[in-house]
């Protein structure tokens, strides 16, 4: 059983910052990539950022220069530092981790999401 738990969401004024955390746990599961997605009101879930186990990152164009993804492999925890937040960043932010079980099976797991609300 793999558990993914996000935290750090909240209400912030435009121009402010938040740092989201994603803690992944589970026996016999080796995490490869950690990813952040978001789903705004009335919108589809969209990709935000990605980081591999080796630290290679990728970002959606709309967050480049404002958001930074990082991870602590020893703690199986990922982070999303969000700066210069704007009202359009309001969304539920989801963490997704993928990797291999010791059996060799590849799988992906989602957290329950954390709400980020940016007021104007």
């Amino acid at each position: 059983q793999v558990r993914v738990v996000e935290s750090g969401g909240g209400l912030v004024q435009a121009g402010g910052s938040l740092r989201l955390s994603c803690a992944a746990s589970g026996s016999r599961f080796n995490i490869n990539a950690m990813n952040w997605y978001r789903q705004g009101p009335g919108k589809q879930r969209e990709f935000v950022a990605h980081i591999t186990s080796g630290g290679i990152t990728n970002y959606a164009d709309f967050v480049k220069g404002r958001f930074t993804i990082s991870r602590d492999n020893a703690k199986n925890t990922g982070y999303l530092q969000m700066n210069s937040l704007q009202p359009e960043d309001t969304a539920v932010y989801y963490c997704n981790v993928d990797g291999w079980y010791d059996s060799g099976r590849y799988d992906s797991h989602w957290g329950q999401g954390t709400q980020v609300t940016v007021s104007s």
Side-chain angles (χ1 to χ4, degrees):
Q1 180 93 16
V2 176
R3 189 165 181 242
V4 179
V5 179
E6 304 96 333
S7 61
L11 174 64
V12 63
Q13 288 188 332
S17 298
L18 283 174
R19 188 191 194 209
L20 306 183
S21 297
C22 169
S25 61
S27 60
R28 303 186 179 89
F29 187 76
N30 307 285
I31 297 172
N32 179 28
M34 303 186 85
N35 313 288
W36 287 96
Y37 287 76
R38 71 184 188 185
Q39 187 165 13
K43 299 181 180 180
Q44 291 189 331
R45 192 173 298 190
E46 60 184 355
F47 168 78
V48 174
H50 160 94
I51 185 167
T52 68
S53 58
I56 296 173
T57 60
N58 187 33
Y59 297 92
D61 286 344
F62 54 78
V63 302
K64 284 181 179 177
R66 300 190 299 128
F67 292 9
T68 302
I69 190 171
S70 61
R71 63 189 285 174
D72 183 335
N73 290 333
K75 296 181 179 179
N76 283 340
T77 300
Y79 306 96
L80 186 68
Q81 177 66 42
M82 306 186 296
N83 298 330
S84 301
L85 284 163
Q86 299 301 314
E88 52 265 35
D89 294 315
T90 294
V92 178
Y93 283 72
Y94 296 91
C95 179
N96 167 267
V97 299
D98 55 59
W100 291 270
Y101 287 99
D102 288 350
S103 64
R105 181 168 67 92
Y106 202 80
D107 206 350
S108 177
H109 298 275
W110 292 88
Q112 81 291 345
T114 185
Q115 176 70 48
V116 172
T117 302
V118 185
S119 63
S120 57

